[in-house]
Amino acid sequence: MLNESQTACLEACNDCAAACLQCATACVKSDDPKSMARCVALDLECADICRLAASLIAQGGEQMKAACSLCAAACDACEAECAKHKMDHCQKCAQACKRCSDACRSMAQ
């Protein structure tokens, strides 16, 4: 059974993964997808790492803290990139990354 902070982090990871995938898709479909290449790459990387962290939280895995630490770092990088762009999907992704980073950082301690 997960405690309250684990449940909150798992939900933040899942929400962030979804926001990152939505952002990446929107960036690829934009008028100038080439200019959004770094955003897309960070979105996809962050989504993968968020899903890994969520999985290990759900399992109570031995590497959960390490995954949460990695997830916080990935979210920080993705947030910084998305925050540079004015599009709504990038701003929503940056917000989801911030929430996930905060939650994962507290889990990694």
Side-chain angles (χ1 to χ4, degrees):
M1 192 80 181
L2 299 178
N3 66 35
E4 190 175 317
S5 63
Q6 290 169 327
T7 300
C9 190
L10 185 137
E11 289 173 1
C13 287
N14 285 329
D15 291 347
C16 188
C20 287
L21 292 174
Q22 291 165 0
C23 185
T25 300
C27 287
V28 168
K29 292 179 179 180
S30 72
D31 292 338
D32 187 15
K34 203 171 203 177
S35 70
M36 301 303 291
R38 184 162 193 270
C39 189
V40 171
L42 289 173
D43 283 335
L44 296 176
E45 182 177 87
C46 189
D48 286 344
I49 294 170
C50 285
R51 289 188 300 232
L52 171 64
S55 177
L56 291 175
I57 292 166
Q59 296 174 48
E62 290 183 22
Q63 299 303 317
M64 178 180 66
K65 287 184 178 187
C68 286
S69 180
L70 176 62
C71 189
C75 287
D76 288 344
C78 192
E79 175 193 4
E81 179 63 24
C82 284
K84 295 177 186 176
H85 306 289
K86 65 180 193 268
M87 291 83 74
D88 190 49
H89 59 85
C90 283
Q91 292 300 308
K92 286 181 179 177
C93 186
Q95 292 167 5
C97 285
K98 174 69 173 136
R99 284 189 301 274
C100 188
S101 176
D102 290 345
C104 279
R105 199 162 272 110
S106 69
M107 287 288 296
Q109 297 174 0

